[in-house]
Amino acid sequence: GPIDRVDPRIFGGRPTLDNNGMFLRVNGLDSQSCNECHSIVSNATRPPLLGIGGVGGVSTNAFFRVTGVDAADSRFNGFAELDNGRFINPPFLFGAGGIELLGKEMTQDLQALKQNAIARPGVWIDLVTKGVNFGAILFDGANFDYSRLDGIDHDLVIRPFGRKGEFATVRGFDVGALQFHLGLQAVELVGEDVDGDGDGVVNEIKEGELSVLHAHNVMLPPPVSLMRSSDAQVGARIFEDIGCGACHIPEMHTESSQLRLAFPEVDTNPESNIYIELDLGKKSVGFQAYKSGGLRVPCFSDLKRHDMGPGLAESAGEPLDNVFVTARLWGVADTSPYLHDGRATTLSEAILFHGGEAQESRDNFDNLDAESRVSVLTFLRSLRTPIEMAQ
């Protein structure tokens, strides 16, 4: 006969919305496929162009670790507070392979600098890789002094994925995303033949399946830069002059075009447990490759965490509430809404929401004359998603 009430054990002990038997939306489950949220290749077209690996609108934002929302504004402060948790707008996946490769090479540099500190006790060692300064480290013969670190964890691992810089690789991100959004627990998370969520199913995502997903995601094409008009060229110079390029570094370069995937992954040693090499320098992938073997990655980011001030702070109750990895601006013309929660509907709004370490650059933009502002925006609108390759 009809089921009056669904046994919550079927869904790993999670409640479902109005006993619908599947989804809760807040704190997951909230999706049936990755492409439900990563589907908009361009929001600058009419109608929006759909495809694989794009962004999502605010309606597809994730509600993560939410314990309550004061939707009625019972506190009379003028806004609906999240008592806890995060409200996260889905980013696109384009160019993820180049970002992962950059991060791994930067991590290797920083690990070598850590060994240098061990070899030179009592000497502060500057942590600079690919032009990005992560502070300094000192080894006193027994312990490390991390007090001068800037924008990175003590393990000196670059984690470019996740708005807070939580994951060193796409695979690491996927493990959590599959569980949160789809209710699929990877074997490498819970163990073989282990029913971690109590839903009666084991081995929900095996190592090989996750490897295939990882390889697919890192081989998606990178965003592109259109040939710039004279106004856009002026805007690019102003962008640098007002300080935006200090964090939104226009481009970085890899030493190799080979992205090596590993299992199991060791974040502090990207060269361990390699099982396949993917050539991101192939013309079909879309990165500009150099004869020396490296790639040009024009991502407009330093892959570093920055304090963005109380105005953009989240309410997870964690040390990183104010902190975000520098957003990668490649493709920004097509990927509204902007910022971590999609609160900015225009590029101007996104810039003016900046605070904290970006306050000076934000104020510099705000103080530009109208013509100069338009030039900056024209430049940003030349940074497009790979529309032709992504369809």
Side-chain angles (χ1 to χ4, degrees), residues 320-335:
L320 296 180
D321 275 356
N322 290 21
V323 175
F324 300 89
V325 168
T326 302
R328 301 185 282 276
L329 296 185
W330 57 354
V332 73
D334 293 290
T335 54

Side-chain angles (χ1 to χ4, degrees), residues 25-26 75 93 95 129 146 192 228 237 244 296 343 360 372:
R25 190 74 179 94
V26 175
R75 296 156 192 164
L93 308 180
T129 171
Y146 297 109
E192 189 172 358
R228 295 175 188 169
R237 290 195 292 270
C244 299
R296 175 177 176 265
R343 70 178 64 183
E360 183 177 353
S372 295

Side-chain angles (χ1 to χ4, degrees), residues 213-276:
L213 180 62
H214 187 189
H216 170 268
N217 288 341
V218 295
M219 293 296 280
L220 288 171
V224 297
S225 180
L226 299 182
M227 185 175 294
R228 295 175 188 169
S229 65
S230 58
D231 195 27
Q233 292 177 33
V234 171
R237 290 195 292 270
I238 297 173
F239 181 87
E240 291 287 340
D241 290 344
I242 63 178
C244 299
C247 297
H248 294 287
I249 297 174
E251 63 182 64
M252 288 196 279
H253 304 266
T254 65
E255 297 296 321
S256 171
S257 65
Q258 302 295 316
L259 175 61
R260 298 178 176 180
L261 305 188
F263 180 78
E265 294 184 321
V266 180
D267 288 347
T268 54
N269 184 9
E271 290 297 303
S272 64
N273 304 321
I274 302 298
Y275 68 86
I276 194 173

Side-chain angles (χ1 to χ4, degrees), residues 96-232:
I99 300 302
E100 182 168 319
L101 181 55
L102 272 176
K104 287 179 173 179
E105 289 188 356
M106 294 170 75
T107 292
Q108 288 177 291
D109 288 346
L110 294 177
Q111 299 303 317
L113 290 168
K114 183 175 183 178
Q115 293 304 311
N116 191 11
I118 294 174
R120 302 176 64 191
V123 177
W124 284 99
I125 302 298
D126 291 331
L127 300 173
V128 180
T129 171
K130 298 192 186 296
V132 183
N133 192 323
F134 291 91
I137 192 173
L138 178 141
F139 184 67
D140 65 8
N143 300 294
F144 287 99
D145 186 339
Y146 297 109
S147 61
R148 297 186 188 179
L149 283 189
D150 185 20
I152 196 170
D153 291 331
H154 290 182
D155 60 6
L156 306 186
V157 172
I158 301 296
R159 293 186 168 88
F161 300 108
R163 299 296 172 88
K164 299 295 186 181
E166 302 134 295
F167 304 98
T169 68
V170 173
R171 187 186 189 108
F173 182 90
D174 287 347
V175 168
L178 286 166
Q179 177 176 237
F180 181 86
H181 298 296
L182 307 179
L184 297 173
Q185 292 191 318
V187 169
E188 58 207 70
L189 176 68
V190 298
E192 189 172 358
D193 297 327
V194 175
D195 183 10
D197 54 8
D199 64 356
V201 182
V202 299
N203 304 330
E204 295 173 346
I205 294 289
K206 297 181 179 179
E207 291 92 340
E209 294 169 320
L210 198 56
S211 295
V212 171
L213 180 62
H214 187 189
H216 170 268
N217 288 341
V218 295
M219 293 296 280
L220 288 171
V224 297
S225 180
L226 299 182
M227 185 175 294
R228 295 175 188 169
S229 65
S230 58
D231 195 27

Side-chain angles (χ1 to χ4, degrees), residues 10 15 17 25 31 38 166 175 191 193 232 276 312 314 389:
I10 296 174
L17 191 63
R25 190 74 179 94
S31 304
H38 297 285
E166 302 134 295
V175 168
D193 297 327
I276 194 173
L312 288 178
E314 296 181 307
M389 296 183 69

